Structures are given as structure tokens and as C-alpha cells.
């Protein structure tokens, strides 16, 4: 009688499972598409590639901020220093790049990204060694990095080589609908994230955020994974700051301020669970576009700046709530 | 066996967690080609020893030798290189990753694991997320992952606790096969029958030290219990059981009493048209193989799910529970198998026991701390909870956590208790106390619905036993007649052969 009942886990259809697991991401892209159509119908002058290009440039810093935040949240933490890190990368690059050649500027940018990754790793190390909560250590880093940014550049100033600024604003790469800024975004995403996402360190990031004790028993070095997440966060935040430099041609010590909380909003809207272990970067990137587009739309319609914020906040809550309900409903159905 | 070099020799292992000494000075010698049991009461230090041996935690003191060579076991990787593969008491599969990703995370080859699973006659979809896979299956995957490394020594920490009997049987097959190939198994369990049937030798831990290594077949259960609990405590337990054994099933079949719990044609999930009634003072068993609807049945009765059709009456009143709160108010309380489901792991033992009481603070105002303290203490004493690490429940040993979930309802009162595998991971001494306790509760008028994955418990505990198969009640046995063979037949739906009670 022992081997009569082969207990098999029910096999579900591939499509059903894809929807179950990636439904949120698909949903946020549908939302982005719908908003784009709406946007198009609202513009009075002819809507074209130029509009798309300016949207992408506008959204680029937030896209990077969303990536920075999402990785940390996935690994089970939260990073309140994302904005300050962006400011710091922005002012450092704007101050020193001003008289550099293009090649030097690129090398310098890489150094800034590496340096930011290092600072992020220090933040992570502080958290795992002292066992002080993430939110407290990164809040402290928010002030430290923000202060450093002000020390580097008190008032907006500096600049970047014209060709460096051109990196994001060249309007055609493949077709005129595919702005260069998008290429930069995809490139960094592929190089930094796709290379680790499916490897053991990448899986360990998810494991650390999903269930720390199970991860630990499975032999995952949870501390190392968490430090890695903060290093990633630093690198992506620096990219965000550099994107800001390229887009505005300016260094502004307060540039990053708004991005800390917006990055959390983009992460959550993009399907990253604040409990950790769930989500990716593809969703949050789309969410960053959605948030930027909503802002653009409201400016377009002349909505008062203050109300615009109220509407944006309400929208986030609404989408997350509706999405949450949809998932609960589906959970009951199956 | 004695003249060969031991496969593993661990000497004088000590480990403290702050003020708690989990291991005082433990010794363990495992020979090649043997199935070696590691026994001890809850909190004796068994899991701690396994974690030390597999490099998950580092001991404060101690030496190891593998095949006679002194080794250092500083990390899980080092333990793996020395041929040690563990299956821990708590699942080591990350819920948000798929099974395949979990395998890659630990460097196991999915193909090899799948082969082991097939050898166990199991089919698993590796692209499923671990959180969607039922617990018994996760345990088998954990086992297959360990087997895929072809270890010298396989360490199984209470793997059978969460397994239905048919899957447990496959674990025993694996142990026999390992022995035949000259490999060894360290097997931890609280089910002494399994030890006597499957283990060559047994090392018994008490209070963090090894008290004896014996041949279980020769000593038998009572010897083991005596070593585990110490002579006096063992005497007390035996006396308690002897005294209570006479009372089991002594309650007359009272008729005309309002049933404490009545289930009429209930359907939900896998449950299909189940009806039964449970009198006050009765312990009704539910026996079933894995996935026959017992989970759904208990979920409905405890208010976690609404029934698709049918009705539930508690104390004669219709119970439409849409939340456990409703069920608890109607006096129907749940003792779940998965203790982490019910506990507040970061809070103290006292708060955990008192938690349901906070519901009944009718008006705003101070909690009666003295009364709360007294009730909590009484419950702790009734179950002999080891409160050395009482500040945070998550630090208690598995068995002690389980006791806290039961103690909670003892301190708070109830009419019907739904026990879903309540002795999972609980040591023999406490188990017997719990049997006696359930009987005492029933004698005081409580009604108890009792599911267990350990078949030997039914005749000891229950007045009647229902067998659930394919979501339907296929047989009803008298408690006395519920021996393992009849139960197994009934649980496989072979109702005709099972003797039904008129
Ligand atoms: N992380 C920890 N912090 C503090 N105390 C701990 C910790 N882990 C275990 N302990 C304590 O160490 C002792 C031994 O625990 P261990 O888990 O080894 O027991 P066990 O023999 O496996 O028990 P069980 O049969 O209940 O699983 C217990 O008193 C427990 O409370
Ligand atoms: Mg244990």
C-alpha cells in the first residue's frame, strides 16, 4: 500500500501561471499604454516623437531611483538615502565634469557609479553589523549624503560636456520613436541586473527578502546579500544622479530630494512587495513612467501644483488597492 | 560494528544562546552503515546539535572527527564536503522562489533532485513557487535535495512530524536503502515506534548532554522514556497515563444532549457533503491521508473559510463564522499544527497565551494583570512549558512553541477544541500529558475534534474515529477498534472491510 498514492502537485497551465505571477507587471504596462493614448488625445499641437523623447528624459532619473529602491525592498530592506545619493552624484559630476572631454566624462561617470556602489555597501554593512534597523541607518545616510552634496556645491551650478548631455537628448537611435535615453536605461538594466537576476547571488537577494530563516538554513549568506542590495542601490542611484546631470546640464544639491519617496511609490506601484522577496525591476520602471506621465498630464491640463500632488498620491493608493483586491479575488477563485 | 572507525565522532559539544545552555557537553558517535536515532524531550538540544554538525551555527566548544580524521566544520559548505547533508526541522525552501530556483540557490542540480523524487515515487512541478506547494511535499523535496548529494551521513530533523503515514513510509525505505549501501542516517523523531522499528542505535539527550546510547529494540519504549525524562519524571508520566487510560471511552453514549458541534452536509474545497455531530465530553478523531479535505474541514470549522454549502451548529446555535473571531466567540477554538501560523513569534510566552483574552476586554480600561498572570502560569504548568527563553516565543524549541498554542486556549476557555495534529513535534512525555489533558478536558464537558497524522494516537485519545477519504466520511470506527491496520484500510476508502460502529 505504500507506493500506491503518488502525491503530485497539481500542474497548472503555463498561461494561467504567467498571469498569476506577472499579472501586476502586465497591468502596469497596460496602464502606461492607456495613459499614453489619453495623453496623445489631450495634446493640442501634433503629438510626436519629440513628446515621447522628452517624457523619457523626464522619467529617466526616477526610473533609476525606482530600480535602486526596488532591489533593496526585494532583499527585505528599505533605502531612504536614494534621493541624497542622487543629489551627491549629480553635484559631484556637474562640478568636476564641466571642463572635461567627453571620454573623460564617461570614465568619471563610471567612477562615480563605482564610488556610489561602495558607499551603498558601507550603508549595508552598517546595517548588518550593528543590527540597527534599515530605516534608521538609511535615514541617517539621507542626512549625511545630503550634507555632503551641499558641501560640494552650495547653489545650483557646474555643468557637463555638451556631448555628455547629448547622450540622453539625441532624438534618434534606431527609429525616431526610440530615444537614446531609453537605450541608456535598457543598457544599464541589462548590464547591472539581468546578469545577476538568475544567478545564485541574484536568487539569494530574493531569498533574503522572502524568508530570512529559510534562506539561512538553505545556506544563503543573508548578510552578504543584503550588503549587495545596498551596493546595487548606490549604483542605480548614482546613475539617476548622472541622468539628471545629463538632462539638465546642471548640478543641484537638492535635485534628489523628491526621489526618495517617489522611488518607494514607483516600487510599490511596480509590483514590489514591501514585505520583500517579490517583484522585479521591469514593473517599477514602467511605474516610474506612469508617475512622470501623470505629472506631465496635470501640467498639461493646468492643474494647480498642490492639487497635482494630492491627485498623484490618491492615484497610487487607488492602483495598489484595486490591484490588491484583484489578487485577493483571484486567490479565492482558484 | 565496534571495531570499525566511526563515521562521525563528535565530542564535548557545547553551545549557549545567552543564558540558555542548549548543549552542555554532548557526545555523538555514528558508525558507518547505521540508522542512528537522536532522541530527547523538547528543548533537549537535538536541533542545536544538528545545526552545529552541519556548520549552520558554530559551537562554543567541541571536536569533530569524520572517519577518524579530525575536522573543522565551520560552514554549511564545509559540512557538505565532509559528506553531511541535513534536512532541518524548519523548512529550508524559500517561499517566493520556485522549486527550481531554490535548488539552484543551494547549488543542487534540479535534474538530480528530480531523479531522487522519482525514486521516491513523487512528481513535482519545479516551476511552482515553494509557497504554493503543500508542507509534506516541501519536506520530501528537502529530503530529495539532501539525497541528491549522496551524503555519507544524512541528518533528518523531525522529518516525519509533518508527513502522512504513506510518505513517512517512503522515508523509512530511504533509510533502509542508505544502510544497505553503507551510508548512515541520523534520525530525529518523537515517535518512539519509528525508532524501535527503524533504528539500529539511539543516543538520548537530556538537558543538553548525551545520557545514553542504547539499542532501541532491546530497551523498548519505557527505557527510552526513562532516559529522556529522567527516572522520576518518567514514573510520573506512566502513572498519569495508567490512571487516565481507564477513563478513555468510559463516558456513556449520552443521548438527547445538545451536540457541542454539529456539521450538516458541509461542502468546501475538497470536502464533499460531510455530516457528523460531536457531543460535549467526547473526543472525535478524524483520520485521513494527505489531502483528503481535512485542511478544508478544519479551516471552515475554525472560521477561516466560509462553507460552499451546508451548515455548522455550535452548541445548538447556527454558526456562520466569517472570521476566526466569530468561531472563538461561539466557543470553537483551533490548535493548528503549524505553530508559527498561530503565534506572535517576537512576543513573549505570556502575551502569546493571553492574546485571545484581549478580545474580551469589553470596555476600554486596564487589563487585569494579576488574573492574566495567574491563568497564564496555570496553563504553563499544566503543559510544563520550558520558559527559559520566554521573552520571545520564536526562541523556544519547536515542541515548546506548540505547547504555547495549546496553553492559550486552556487559559482562555472554550467549548469545542479543534486539534489539528496537536502533538506534531512534541516529545513523548508531553504527548502523554496532552492525551491525559484532552481526556480531562472532555471529562469536564469539552468537545474535541482531533486530527492526527500519527495513527497510534487514535486508540489512545479518541472515543470515535471518522475516516475521511476523497472529501467524504467513508467509515466510522470505535476508538478501541481504531488500530493501525483498520485505520489504514478505512483511510484508503476501503470502508467495507473496516468494522463500522452501529
Ligand atoms: N536562537 C535561539 N535563541 C535562544 N535560545 C534558543 C535558540 N535556539 C534554541 N534555543 C534554546 O535552546 C534549547 C534547545 O533547543 P533545540 O531547538 O535544540 O531543542 P530540540 O531538542 O530540537 O527540541 P524540539 O524537540 O522541541 O525540536 C531550547 O531551550 C531553546 O529554547
Ligand atoms: Mg528540534
Amino acid at each position: 500500500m505504500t507506493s500506491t498514492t503518488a502525491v503530485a502537485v497539481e500542474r497548472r497551465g503555463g498561461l494561467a501561471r504567467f498571469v498569476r505571477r506577472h499579472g501586476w507587471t502586465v497591468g502596469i504596462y497596460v496602464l502606461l499604454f492607456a495613459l499614453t493614448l489619453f495623453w496623445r488625445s489631450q495634446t493640442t499641437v501634433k503629438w510626436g516623437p519629440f513628446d515621447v523623447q522628452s517624457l523619457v528624459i523626464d522619467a529617466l532619473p526616477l526610473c533609476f531611483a525606482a530600480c535602486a529602491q526596488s532591489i533593496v525592498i526585494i532583499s527585505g530592506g528599505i533605502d531612504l538615502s536614494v534621493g541624497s545619493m542622487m543629489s551627491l552624484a549629480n553635484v559631484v559630476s556637474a562640478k568636476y565634469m564641466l571642463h572635461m572631454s567627453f571620454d573623460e566624462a564617461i570614465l568619471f561617470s563610471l567612477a562615480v557609479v563605482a564610488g556610489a556602489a561602495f558607499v551603498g555597501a558601507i550603508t549595508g554593512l552598517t546595517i548588518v553589523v550593528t543590527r540597527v534597523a534599515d530605516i534608521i541607518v538609511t535615514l541617517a545616510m539621507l542626512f549625511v549624503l545630503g550634507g555632503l552634496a551641499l558641501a560640494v556645491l552650495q547653489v545650483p551650478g557646474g555643468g557637463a560636456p555638451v556631448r555628455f548631455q547629448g547622450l540622453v537628448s539625441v532624438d534618434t537611435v534606431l527609429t525616431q520613436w526610440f530615444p537614446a535615453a531609453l537605450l541608456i536605461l535598457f543598457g544599464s538594466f541589462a548590464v547591472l541586473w539581468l546578469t545577476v537576476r538568475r544567478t545564485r547571488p541574484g536568487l539569494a537577494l530574493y531569498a533574503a527578502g522572502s524568508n530570512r530563516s529559510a534562506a539561512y538554513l538553505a545556506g544563503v549568506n543573508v548578510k552578504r546579500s543584503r550588503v549587495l542590495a545596498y551596493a546595487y542601490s548606490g549604483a542605480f542611484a548614482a546613475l539617476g544622479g548622472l541622468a539628471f546631470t545629463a538632462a539638465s546640464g546642471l548640478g543641484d544639491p537638492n535635485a534628489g530630494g523628491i526621489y526618495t519617496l517617489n522611488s518607494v511609490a514607483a516600487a510599490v506601484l511596480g509590483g514590489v512587495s514591501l514585505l520583500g522577496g517579490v517583484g522585479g525591476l521591469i514593473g517599477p520602471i514602467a511605474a516610474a513612467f506612469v508617475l512622470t506621465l501623470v505629472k506631465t498630464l496635470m501640467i498639461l491640463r493646468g492643474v494647480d501644483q498642490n492639487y497635482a500632488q494630492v491627485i498623484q498620491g490618491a492615484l497610487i493608493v487607488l492602483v495598489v488597492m484595486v490591484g490588491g483586491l484583484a489578487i485577493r479575488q483571484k486567490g479565492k477563485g482558484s | 560494528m565496534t571495531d570499525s572507525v566511526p563515521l562521525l565522532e563528535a565530542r564535548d559539544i557545547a553551545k549557549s544562546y545567552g543564558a540558555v545552555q542548549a548543549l552542555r557537553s554532548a557526545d555523538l558517535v555514528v558508525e558507518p552503515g547505521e540508522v542512528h536515532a537522536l532522541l530527547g524531550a523538547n528543548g533537549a538540544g537535538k536541533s542545536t546539535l544538528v545545526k552545529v554538525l552541519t556548520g549552520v551555527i558554530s559551537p562554543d566548544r567541541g571536536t569533530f572527527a569524520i572517519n577518524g580524521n579530525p575536522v573543522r566544520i565551520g560552514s554549511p559548505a564545509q559540512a557538505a564536503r565532509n559528506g553531511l547533508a541535513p534536512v532541518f526541522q524548519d523548512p529550508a525552501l524559500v517561499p517566493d522562489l520556485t522549486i527550481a530556483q531554490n535548488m539552484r540557490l543551494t547549488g543542487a542540480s534540479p535534474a538530480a533532485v528530480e531523479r531522487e523524487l522519482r525514486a521516491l515515487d513523487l512528481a513535482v512541478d519545479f516551476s511552482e513557487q515553494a509557497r504554493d506547494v503543500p508542507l509534506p511535499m516541501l519536506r520530501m523535496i528537502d529530503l530529495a535535495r539532501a539525497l541528491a548529494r549522496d551524503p555519507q551521513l544524512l541528518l533528518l530533523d523531525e522529518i516525519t512530524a509533518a508527513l502522512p503515514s504513506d510518505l513517512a513510509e517512503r522515508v523509512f525505505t530511504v533509510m533502509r536503502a542508505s544502510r544497505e549501501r553503507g551510508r548512515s542516517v541520523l534520525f530525529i523523531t518523537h515517535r518512539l515506534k519509528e525508532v524501535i522499528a527503524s533504528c539500529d542505535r539511539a543516543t538520548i539527550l537530556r538537558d543538553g548532554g548525551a545520557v545514553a546510547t542504547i539499542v532501541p529494540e532491546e530497551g523498548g519504549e519505557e527505557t527510552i522514556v526513562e532516559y529522556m525524562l529522567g527516572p522520576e519524571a518518567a514514573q510520573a508520566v506512566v502513572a498519569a497515563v495508567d490512571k487516565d487510560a481507564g477513563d478513555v471511552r468510559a463516558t456513556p453514549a449520552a443521548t438527547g444532549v445538545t451536540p457541542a458541534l454539529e456539521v450538516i452536509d458541509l461542502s468546501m474545497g475538497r470536502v464533499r457533503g460531510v455530516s457528523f455531530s460531536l457531543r460535549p465530553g467526547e473526543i472525535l478523531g478524524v483520520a485521513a491521508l494527505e489531502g483528503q479535505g481535512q485542511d478544508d474541514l478544519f479551516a471552515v470549522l475554525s472560521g477561516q473559510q466560509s462553507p460552499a454549502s451546508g451548515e455548522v451548529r455550535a452548541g445548538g446555535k447556527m454558526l456562520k463564522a466569517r472570521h476566526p473571531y466569530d468561531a472563538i466567540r461561539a466557543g470553537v477554538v483551533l490548535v493548528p499544527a503549524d505553530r508559527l501560523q498561530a503565534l506572535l513569534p517576537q512576543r513573549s510566552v505570556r502575551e502569546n497565551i493571553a492574546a485571545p483574552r484581549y478580545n474580551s476586554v469589553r470596555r476600554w480600561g486596564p487589563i487585569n494583570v494579576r488574573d492574566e498572570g495567574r491563568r497564564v502560569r496555570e496553563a504553563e504548568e499544566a503543559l510544563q512549558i520550558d520558559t527559559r527563553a520566554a521573552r520571545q516565543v520564536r526562541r523556544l524549541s519547536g515542541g515548546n512553541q506548540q505547547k504555547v498554542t495549546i496553553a492559550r486556549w486552556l487559559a482562555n476557555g472554550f467549548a469545542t477544541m479543534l486539534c489539528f495534529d496537536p502533538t506534531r513535534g512534541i516529545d513523548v512525555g508531553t504527548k502523554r500529558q496532552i492525551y491525559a489533558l484532552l481526556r480531562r478536558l472532555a471529562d469536564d464537558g469539552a468537545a474535541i475534534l482531533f486530527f492526527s497524522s500519527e495513527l497510534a494516537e487514535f486508540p489512545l485519545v479518541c472515543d470515535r474515529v471518522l475516516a475521511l477519504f476523497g472529501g467524504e466520511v467513508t467509515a466510522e470506527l470505535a476508538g478501541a477498534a481504531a488500530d493501525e491496520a483498520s485505520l489504514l484500510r478505512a483511510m484508503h476508502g476501503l470502508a467495507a472491510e473496516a468494522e463500522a460502529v452501529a
Side-chain angles (χ1 to χ4, degrees):
Chain A
M1 48 121 299
T2 52
S3 62
T4 45
T5 41
V7 188
V9 175
E10 271 171 60
R11 279 170 197 275
R12 302 204 184 87
L15 183 69
R17 183 155 57 207
F18 180 84
V19 169
R20 192 158 49 98
R21 263 186 223 162
H22 303 289
W24 190 287
T25 309
V26 174
I28 203 78
Y29 274 89
V30 170
L31 179 64
L32 178 58
F33 185 68
L35 277 176
T36 309
L37 289 184
F38 179 65
W39 178 35
R40 201 181 146 180
S41 71
Q42 292 292 302
T43 43
T44 39
V45 288
K46 192 178 166 336
W47 186 85
F50 178 75
D51 296 273
V52 174
Q53 190 202 338
S54 42
L55 174 73
V56 175
I57 293 173
D58 223 16
L60 196 59
L62 183 56
C63 287
F64 283 125
C67 292
Q69 192 64 262
S70 299
I71 293 179
V72 172
I73 296 180
I74 286 170
S75 78
I78 189 143
D79 189 351
L80 297 186
S81 68
V82 166
S84 296
M85 183 71 96
M86 288 172 73
S87 300
L88 186 58
N90 169 234
V91 293
V92 166
S93 59
K95 183 168 181 179
Y96 298 105
M97 268 185 198
L98 186 54
H99 303 296
M100 284 184 185
S101 71
F102 175 69
D103 292 347
E104 284 166 347
I106 292 294
L107 281 179
F108 189 71
S109 299
L110 292 179
V112 166
V113 171
F118 181 73
V119 173
I122 300 282
T123 307
L125 261 178
T126 312
I127 291 168
V128 299
V129 171
T130 63
R131 302 193 180 186
V132 176
D134 301 63
I135 197 161
I136 293 169
V137 173
T138 58
L139 183 65
M141 286 308 276
L142 168 104
F143 294 120
V144 171
L145 300 177
L148 282 177
L150 274 168
V152 172
L153 211 61
Q154 283 81 12
V155 287
V162 177
R163 244 185 99 194
F164 185 78
Q165 294 186 36
L167 273 182
V168 293
S169 53
V170 165
D171 48 357
T172 58
V173 176
L174 303 173
T175 81
Q176 55 176 352
W177 291 97
F178 193 93
L182 214 49
L183 190 71
I184 303 240
L185 177 63
F186 289 165
S188 337
F189 169 76
V191 170
L192 285 177
W193 184 240
L194 285 188
T195 48
V196 290
R197 167 76 181 85
R198 305 268 159 199
T199 63
R200 272 171 79 175
L203 292 174
L205 273 180
Y206 279 84
S210 175
N211 181 337
R212 225 168 261 175
S213 89
Y216 175 68
L217 288 179
V220 171
N221 189 332
V222 174
K223 290 183 177 168
R224 195 164 60 201
S225 296
R226 301 187 64 206
V227 172
L228 182 72
Y230 280 99
Y232 261 112
S233 172
F236 272 111
L239 282 170
L242 290 166
F244 196 85
T245 311
S248 69
L250 205 68
D252 177 354
N254 297 314
I258 55 160
Y259 287 110
T260 296
L261 292 184
N262 278 354
S263 69
V264 177
V268 170
L269 201 56
V272 173
S273 160
L274 283 177
L275 300 177
V278 177
L281 297 193
I282 298 180
I285 288 175
F289 277 106
V290 167
L291 290 175
T292 312
L293 188 48
V294 167
K295 202 181 73 195
T296 309
L297 279 171
M298 277 184 296
I299 291 171
L300 195 70
R301 308 210 56 181
V303 178
D304 180 272
Q305 181 69 48
N306 297 319
Y307 287 119
Q309 302 226 3
V310 174
I311 294 175
Q312 197 165 1
L315 181 90
I316 293 172
V317 173
L318 190 77
V319 170
V320 171
M321 215 168 66
V322 169
L325 279 180
I327 286 176
R328 287 232 331 245
Q329 223 55 47
K330 216 166 44 186
K332 272 186 183 167
S334 68
Chain B
M1 205 197 281
T2 42
D3 47 64
S4 65
V5 187
L7 168 63
L8 169 81
E9 191 172 355
R11 293 280 175 209
D12 191 27
I13 313 288
K15 172 76 193 175
S16 308
Y17 294 102
V20 180
Q21 253 202 328
L23 289 174
R24 236 170 264 281
S25 166
D27 299 293
L28 177 68
V29 178
V30 180
E31 303 290 340
E34 76 164 337
V35 177
H36 196 110
L38 183 61
L39 306 174
N42 294 132
K46 304 177 296 294
S47 298
T48 307
L49 185 55
V50 167
K51 287 182 189 160
V52 166
L53 289 175
T54 51
V56 171
I57 55 179
S58 51
D60 303 336
R61 198 178 61 218
T63 56
F64 309 96
I66 303 273
N67 295 324
N69 307 316
V71 289
R72 228 179 63 81
I73 303 181
S75 68
Q78 232 164 9
R81 273 198 299 281
N82 283 312
L84 306 180
V87 174
F88 295 109
Q89 184 168 9
D90 300 310
L93 290 156
V94 178
D96 287 310
L97 298 183
T98 65
I99 303 298
Q101 285 172 335
N102 263 297
M103 295 304 122
R104 263 189 288 137
L105 183 67
T106 48
S109 127
V113 176
E114 188 144 35
R115 202 161 47 240
E116 293 296 338
L117 281 169
R118 222 166 318 118
L120 289 165
D121 199 17
L122 296 170
V124 175
D125 182 355
F126 272 53
S127 55
E128 196 75 41
Q129 275 181 334
R131 65 164 70 257
D132 295 331
V133 177
L135 179 68
M137 204 56 169
L138 285 179
R139 303 304 290 157
M140 297 308 279
I141 296 169
D142 249 340
L143 172 66
R145 175 165 65 182
L147 285 173
R149 291 203 205 135
D150 192 21
Q152 292 276 333
L153 177 61
L154 180 66
L155 302 101
L156 304 177
D157 193 352
E158 291 194 33
I159 186 171
T160 50
L163 295 182
S165 46
D166 51 337
L167 288 181
E169 200 53 51
R170 290 177 214 187
V171 176
F172 302 138
T173 314
V174 165
M175 300 202 305
R176 279 193 295 274
S178 297
R179 173 165 51 199
E180 269 156 33
R181 290 187 306 128
R183 305 293 162 116
S184 307
V185 179
L186 186 70
F187 181 64
I188 297 178
T189 183
H190 287 296
R191 301 178 180 175
L192 300 185
K193 286 221 167 61
E194 298 177 349
V195 175
I196 289 167
S198 312
C199 299
D200 304 313
R201 293 197 307 155
T203 293
I204 298 152
L205 292 183
R206 185 164 78 225
D207 297 333
V211 288
T213 298
I214 59 163
V215 176
E217 260 175 326
E218 291 169 6
E221 281 193 38
E222 293 317 314
T223 321
I224 297 176
V225 173
E226 203 170 305
Y227 278 123
M228 271 172 65
L229 306 179
E232 310 90 48
Q235 281 305 317
V237 166
V238 171
V241 169
D242 282 348
K243 184 182 112 356
D244 283 291
D247 298 347
V248 177
R249 293 175 305 274
T251 19
T255 43
V257 186
T258 323
L261 187 72
E262 206 171 3
V263 172
I264 302 155
D265 202 21
L266 185 79
S267 294
M268 211 294 290
R270 291 218 174 116
V271 176
R272 288 202 310 244
V274 165
S275 304
F276 62 83
S277 86
L278 176 57
R279 279 185 291 104
E282 185 184 36
I283 305 181
L284 177 62
V286 175
L289 297 169
E290 183 56 23
Q292 303 302 319
Q294 62 269 43
D295 311 36
D296 293 329
L297 178 64
F298 277 74
V300 168
L301 296 180
S302 61
Q304 300 173 50
Q305 298 266 8
S306 308
S309 67
E311 61 183 71
V312 178
R313 290 167 180 275
K317 283 202 219 69
M318 185 77 129
L319 172 62
K320 277 215 164 74
R322 279 179 300 152
H323 186 277
Y325 177 73
D326 300 330
I328 293 167
R329 282 224 333 190
V332 181
V333 302
L334 174 71
V335 175
D338 182 1
R339 45 208 178 241
L340 293 178
Q341 216 185 333
L343 293 175
L344 316 168
Q346 322 268 28
R347 308 306 306 174
S348 68
V349 167
R350 173 169 175 166
E351 267 178 78
N352 267 284
I353 293 179
R357 283 176 68 74
Y358 301 148
N359 266 335
S360 51
V361 181
R362 287 276 151 68
R363 60 195 167 80
W364 295 95
I367 290 165
N368 184 343
V369 175
R370 186 127 31 91
D371 177 53
E372 177 188 303
R374 182 178 53 78
R375 279 159 177 272
V376 168
R377 246 186 337 276
E378 279 170 10
E380 277 172 7
E381 273 159 24
L383 290 177
Q384 302 188 348
I385 296 172
D386 171 3
T387 49
R388 280 179 300 166
R391 287 249 323 280
Q392 290 199 340
V393 155
R394 76 190 161 97
R395 296 209 172 132
L396 295 182
S397 73
N400 277 305
Q401 290 179 354
Q402 189 69 303
K403 290 190 205 169
V404 173
T405 63
I406 299 180
R408 164 183 289 182
W409 301 123
L410 293 190
N412 295 290
F414 62 92
T416 302
M417 184 181 268
L418 311 168
C419 298
F420 192 88
D421 225 358
T423 59
R424 183 181 291 179
I426 287 191
D427 68 55
V428 260
T430 315
K431 251 183 206 170
R432 294 181 184 186
Q433 288 163 8
I434 286 177
Y435 303 153
L437 184 78
L438 292 180
R439 179 48 59 192
R440 217 163 48 234
L441 289 173
D443 288 347
D444 290 345
I448 296 171
L449 190 68
F450 178 89
F451 169 81
S452 175
S453 55
E454 193 178 346
L455 299 185
E457 291 192 334
F458 287 105
L460 288 174
V461 174
C462 298
D463 301 311
R464 277 187 301 148
V465 183
L466 302 177
L468 208 58
F469 180 73
E472 294 173 39
V473 175
T474 50
E476 180 179 327
L477 311 177
D483 58 277
E484 218 166 307
S486 330
L487 278 172
L488 273 174
R489 264 201 309 277
M491 284 156 67
H492 280 90
L494 307 173
E497 293 167 56
E499 49 181 306
V501 185

